[in-house]
Amino acid sequence: MIKSLVGGVIAATAFVMLSSSAIADPEIVKGPSAEPDCFAPWAADTQFFKYPKKDGPYRIALANGYIANTWRIQMIQTAKAYAAQPDVAKKLKEFKVVSTGEDVPAQISAINNFIDSGFDAIVVNAQNPTAFGPVIKRAKEAGVILVAFDNILDTKDAINVNVDQKGLGELWGKWLVSHVPNGGKVLEVRGVAGTSVDTDRHNGIHEVLDGSGKKWEVTEVVGKWDDGVAQKATADAIATSGPFDGITGQGGDTGIVQAMIDAKHPFVPFGGETENGFRKFCAAHAGDGLKCSSAGTGPAQVAVAIKTAISALEGNVVPQSVKLPLAIVEDPNFKAGQDFFPDQSDNFFVGNSFPTCGINFTAQEIMGQTKENK
């Protein structure tokens, strides 16, 4: 009798666990998404998710990794600014932000803590695309919606929000091929090692250069998407391996150009990101040889990720992988007050809005926020 009772309890427990896991799974449905202009599918075969609707207001967390550069700081500020907007704030019971640095286990631990604390959704900028398998499974079993952006997750069990990072690298590579017609020496300033963004952009650049039929000698340095780090790395590279015929930088591009100026390195074609200071340099020195392609996506993609999480919690249809547009300006089309802002900080990333998602920010709105955990 006791044995039968115990067996029944075990069976019942197993049934509850299986039912809970099933409830956590999104339904695979046909598109389009609830807001097709905002939540654009990555590809023609991208699946569409419909999660069980939850009643708000919601508890949403942002689990960030690396924080020590301008883009990440502005991203945290943008997330807080978006969460504070009245139409968003009324849907949130709590918005929590944690940055854990480059320590992958620490970021995984932070996500586990948010799951254990009963958060409804977690937005993550992942330090490594493949290391999060167990915590992705835990989130799914707990019914927690996981949305990765920028540095995304290699999984179909979470929502990814991103631009075509490899395509961005290809764009920079094509700029160099077209503006350094005979091939030559290129300085490549990379981002944070091990992240999907750094890997994808690097691969895109090299596929274009390798396929161009021209001879290239590429010097790679690590700039961590940070002006100070990139400036020092560039200065060292110029001293040991320069001069260069072209440069591409994933970020910290204002520092890269400053290193060129300090070393009296000739201005050369440059494929880089969207920092305001970089674009100021591109506009000021185009006639001196600094022919720029400035492209990327502003830190406001975090706001799209939060918006996606809220929409999914509300039971709306969303793509499993959301593709965001790039902000691109190339020489000779840099216009003051539109593509760069002479009176604003060099460290401000331009193009930090997604009008198709109703996401627009002023510099003051963003810079009024802090970067600290809260």
mmCIF file of all heavy atoms in Angstrom, residues 19 22 55 72 136 152 223 263 357:
data_model
loop_
_atom_site.group_PDB
_atom_site.id
_atom_site.type_symbol
_atom_site.label_atom_id
_atom_site.label_comp_id
_atom_site.label_asym_id
_atom_site.label_seq_id
_atom_site.Cartn_x
_atom_site.Cartn_y
_atom_site.Cartn_z
ATOM 1 N N SER A 19 3.972 18.703 -17.423
ATOM 2 C CA SER A 19 2.967 19.688 -17.788
ATOM 3 C C SER A 19 3.537 21.083 -17.708
ATOM 4 O O SER A 19 3.296 21.935 -18.565
ATOM 5 C CB SER A 19 1.740 19.573 -16.862
ATOM 6 O OG SER A 19 1.162 18.291 -17.000
ATOM 7 N N ALA A 22 5.667 21.731 -20.637
ATOM 8 C CA ALA A 22 4.877 21.939 -21.839
ATOM 9 C C ALA A 22 4.285 23.341 -21.853
ATOM 10 O O ALA A 22 4.221 23.991 -22.887
ATOM 11 C CB ALA A 22 3.777 20.878 -21.921
ATOM 12 N N ASP A 55 -0.635 37.785 -17.243
ATOM 13 C CA ASP A 55 -1.159 39.078 -16.826
ATOM 14 C C ASP A 55 -0.038 39.936 -16.254
ATOM 15 O O ASP A 55 0.789 39.461 -15.476
ATOM 16 C CB ASP A 55 -2.252 38.902 -15.768
ATOM 17 C CG ASP A 55 -3.490 38.212 -16.339
ATOM 18 O OD1 ASP A 55 -3.758 38.397 -17.551
ATOM 19 O OD2 ASP A 55 -4.175 37.509 -15.583
ATOM 20 N N ARG A 72 28.327 49.812 -24.264
ATOM 21 C CA ARG A 72 27.623 49.077 -23.208
ATOM 22 C C ARG A 72 27.043 50.031 -22.165
ATOM 23 O O ARG A 72 25.936 49.815 -21.653
ATOM 24 C CB ARG A 72 28.560 48.064 -22.548
ATOM 25 C CG ARG A 72 28.957 46.889 -23.419
ATOM 26 C CD ARG A 72 27.775 46.001 -23.800
ATOM 27 N NE ARG A 72 28.209 44.876 -24.602
ATOM 28 C CZ ARG A 72 28.331 43.628 -24.168
ATOM 29 N NH1 ARG A 72 28.044 43.333 -22.917
ATOM 30 N NH2 ARG A 72 28.725 42.681 -24.983
ATOM 31 N N ILE A 136 19.462 28.147 -20.344
ATOM 32 C CA ILE A 136 18.373 28.285 -21.308
ATOM 33 C C ILE A 136 17.298 27.241 -21.020
ATOM 34 O O ILE A 136 16.098 27.534 -21.024
ATOM 35 C CB ILE A 136 18.903 28.133 -22.751
ATOM 36 C CG1 ILE A 136 19.806 29.315 -23.114
ATOM 37 C CG2 ILE A 136 17.746 28.019 -23.744
ATOM 38 C CD1 ILE A 136 20.561 29.123 -24.424
ATOM 39 N N ILE A 152 24.199 37.334 -29.251
ATOM 40 C CA ILE A 152 23.028 36.483 -29.106
ATOM 41 C C ILE A 152 23.409 35.076 -28.644
ATOM 42 O O ILE A 152 24.577 34.777 -28.418
ATOM 43 C CB ILE A 152 22.235 36.432 -30.423
ATOM 44 C CG1 ILE A 152 23.141 35.973 -31.570
ATOM 45 C CG2 ILE A 152 21.625 37.795 -30.718
ATOM 46 C CD1 ILE A 152 22.410 35.761 -32.880
ATOM 47 N N GLY A 223 40.593 45.778 -29.397
ATOM 48 C CA GLY A 223 40.247 47.106 -28.896
ATOM 49 C C GLY A 223 39.093 47.126 -27.920
ATOM 50 O O GLY A 223 38.798 48.156 -27.313
ATOM 51 N N ALA A 263 50.235 59.758 -34.076
ATOM 52 C CA ALA A 263 51.406 59.126 -34.702
ATOM 53 C C ALA A 263 51.758 59.748 -36.049
ATOM 54 O O ALA A 263 52.708 59.308 -36.695
ATOM 55 C CB ALA A 263 51.139 57.632 -34.880
ATOM 56 N N CYS A 357 9.743 50.782 -34.568
ATOM 57 C CA CYS A 357 9.290 50.205 -33.302
ATOM 58 C C CYS A 357 8.757 51.276 -32.345
ATOM 59 O O CYS A 357 8.441 50.984 -31.190
ATOM 60 C CB CYS A 357 10.431 49.460 -32.615
ATOM 61 S SG CYS A 357 11.020 47.998 -33.511
#
